[in-house]
Amino acid sequence: MQLLHIEVWIGDAWQRVVRLGDYKPPKDGSWDDDLTNELETFLRANPGTFWIDTADSPHGVFFGPGVPRLFRLNPAG
């Protein structure tokens, strides 16, 4: 098994998520089931607007109702 990161689609590229609101995914990655559960739990608990910090420019965006929430898990490394 491989460690994974959460990524989000912003603009025209996938970017690694550093923080979702108050939740900080493990810096070195985590296992599929752990990240999937944590991401689903966060999204259920935060149906409104929240801030996402990313590893690349623009280094963060607000997500809110009506904005497609496109996330994926990608190998860490």
Side-chain angles (χ1 to χ4, degrees), residues 20-36:
L20 287 168
D22 293 331
Y23 169 65
K24 291 178 83 174
K27 181 179 178 182
D28 296 325
S30 188
W31 306 112
D32 181 26
D33 291 343
D34 294 338
L35 280 182
T36 299

Side-chain angles (χ1 to χ4, degrees), residues 40-60:
E40 288 174 356
T41 298
F42 175 84
L43 293 174
R44 271 194 308 272
N46 295 277
T49 302
F50 57 89
W51 180 258
I52 297 177
D53 285 332
T54 62
D56 300 311
S57 182
H59 299 293

Side-chain angles (χ1 to χ4, degrees), residues 3-10 13-20 24-30 35 52-60 70-77:
L3 291 175
L4 303 170
H5 283 155
I6 298 172
E7 293 186 341
V8 61
W9 183 259
I10 297 177
W14 288 101
Q15 296 188 23
R16 185 172 62 86
V17 172
V18 177
R19 175 193 262 167
L20 287 168
K24 291 178 83 174
K27 181 179 178 182
D28 296 325
S30 188
L35 280 182
I52 297 177
D53 285 332
T54 62
D56 300 311
S57 182
H59 299 293
L70 303 174
F71 293 94
R72 72 177 184 182
L73 301 182
N74 204 35

